[in-house]
Amino acid sequence: MPPRNEASANSATKVACIVLGIRGDVLMLTTALTDTSAATEVAAPDVLLWDVEAAASATGLRVRYVRKLIAERRVPVVKLGRLVRIRPADLVAYIEASTLPVQER
């Protein structure tokens, strides 16, 4: 008989897996451990690389604009053979660098 972990030993703990989206070959999901006393949310490991469609979907940009950013080399990309992938942190860094500060009057 396999050893039981704490989550399976405690019948009050439930594990839920929520799929946030599927784009190309990238699956975005989150898991949550819920207990009767308090809910605890545990995020799944970050997605290592996004394809162009997933990057556009995650940021609310159009696919065409993400491809333009790549073509103009404004966003670093990872080339795996003919595949083009974007690190989420690189895209977030680009967005933060493009954000204008609020001007006080």
Side-chain angles (χ1 to χ4, degrees):
M1 181 174 208
R4 293 169 37 174
N5 60 21
E6 291 179 19
S8 64
N10 184 358
S11 62
T13 303
K14 296 180 183 176
V15 178
C17 180
I18 304 164
V19 176
L20 299 176
I22 300 173
R23 289 287 184 186
D25 57 353
V26 178
L27 173 67
M28 297 171 285
L29 57 91
T30 185
T31 58
L33 295 175
T34 56
D35 189 39
T36 54
S37 60
T40 306
E41 187 171 322
V42 180
D46 292 335
V47 176
L48 184 61
L49 298 172
W50 281 337
D51 60 0
V52 176
E53 290 80 15
S57 175
T59 58
L61 301 172
R62 295 190 183 273
V63 173
R64 183 175 176 177
Y65 186 70
V66 174
R67 290 189 191 280
K68 178 182 175 183
L69 293 176
I70 293 169
E72 294 175 354
R73 298 191 179 224
R74 293 164 55 186
V75 175
V77 297
V78 176
K79 293 271 302 196
L80 302 169
R82 65 184 182 98
L83 302 176
V84 176
R85 298 292 184 254
I86 303 168
R87 287 187 190 97
D90 291 340
L91 198 54
V92 169
Y94 171 77
I95 292 170
E96 288 176 356
S98 300
T99 303
L100 300 175
V102 176
Q103 283 187 331
E104 296 187 26
R105 293 182 180 196

